[in-house]
């Protein structure tokens, strides 16, 4: 069966279906691209925040005693919020919680790997 043998109603239906499928395909593609873009933007913001904390910690380590610098970095970590309700926390190499701004009782607790 070719398109030439279809009546006008059927031809319009075929055109509408092809258009709908194309629209759905591009909609899904654009959603995927938007999700990727938003993820990259969020990752970039978080990287900037972490770079700020690291540079501040480096500066403090050069001008303050080790204990004072650690306390000041902890204070900085407690105060940082991004995207309204997200926060930064610190683990050491052994996965011990060094600082958690919302749950201070987790300090010195080992997380499980």
């Amino acid at each position: 069966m070719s398109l030439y043998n279809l009546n006008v109603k059927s031809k319009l239906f075929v055109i509408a279906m092809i258009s709908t499928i194309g629209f759905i395909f591009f909609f899904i593609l654009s959603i995927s691209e938007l999700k990727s873009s938003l993820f990259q933007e969020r990752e970039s913001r978080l990287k900037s925040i972490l770079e700020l904390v690291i540079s501040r910690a480096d500066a403090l380590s050069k001008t303050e005693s080790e204990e004072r610098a650690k306390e000041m970095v902890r204070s900085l970590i407690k105060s940082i919020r991004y995207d309204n309700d997200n926060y930064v926390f610190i683990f050491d190499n052994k996965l011990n919680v060094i600082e958690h701004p919302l749950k201070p009782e987790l300090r010195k607790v080992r997380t499980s790997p």
Side-chain angles (χ1 to χ4, degrees):
M1 175 184 272
S2 72
L3 277 175
Y4 294 113
N5 296 338
L6 295 177
N7 61 27
V8 173
K9 183 178 177 182
S10 296
K11 288 178 183 178
L12 288 174
F13 179 75
V14 168
I15 291 170
M17 289 306 294
I18 291 171
S19 298
T20 301
I21 290 170
F23 175 76
I24 291 171
F25 173 75
F26 285 114
F27 180 74
I28 291 170
L29 188 64
S30 66
I31 292 288
S32 175
E33 188 63 32
L34 177 63
K35 182 179 176 183
S36 175
S37 176
L38 290 173
F39 180 79
Q40 288 175 349
E41 180 182 328
R42 185 173 179 168
E43 184 179 37
S44 175
R45 282 195 315 261
L46 181 56
K47 192 178 284 189
S48 296
I49 291 167
L50 293 177
E51 287 172 356
L52 169 77
V53 171
I54 290 168
S55 72
R56 186 69 181 135
D58 284 344
L60 288 171
S61 71
K62 293 173 184 168
T63 60
E64 303 289 336
S65 69
E66 183 177 349
E67 282 304 310
R68 177 77 175 132
K70 285 180 180 179
E71 191 54 43
M72 292 175 81
V73 170
R74 284 187 182 117
S75 179
L76 176 63
I77 294 296
K78 289 177 188 176
S79 69
I80 293 176
R81 297 291 185 276
Y82 65 97
D83 292 343
N84 297 326
D85 59 350
N86 292 315
Y87 52 90
V88 178
F89 49 90
I90 305 172
F91 288 103
D92 67 9
N93 294 342
K94 297 176 183 173
L95 297 180
N96 296 312
V97 178
I98 302 300
E99 188 59 62
H100 193 291
L102 300 183
K103 297 182 180 179
E105 66 274 9
L106 291 179
R107 284 179 69 183
K108 306 291 182 189
V109 172
R110 178 158 167 67
T111 59
S112 59

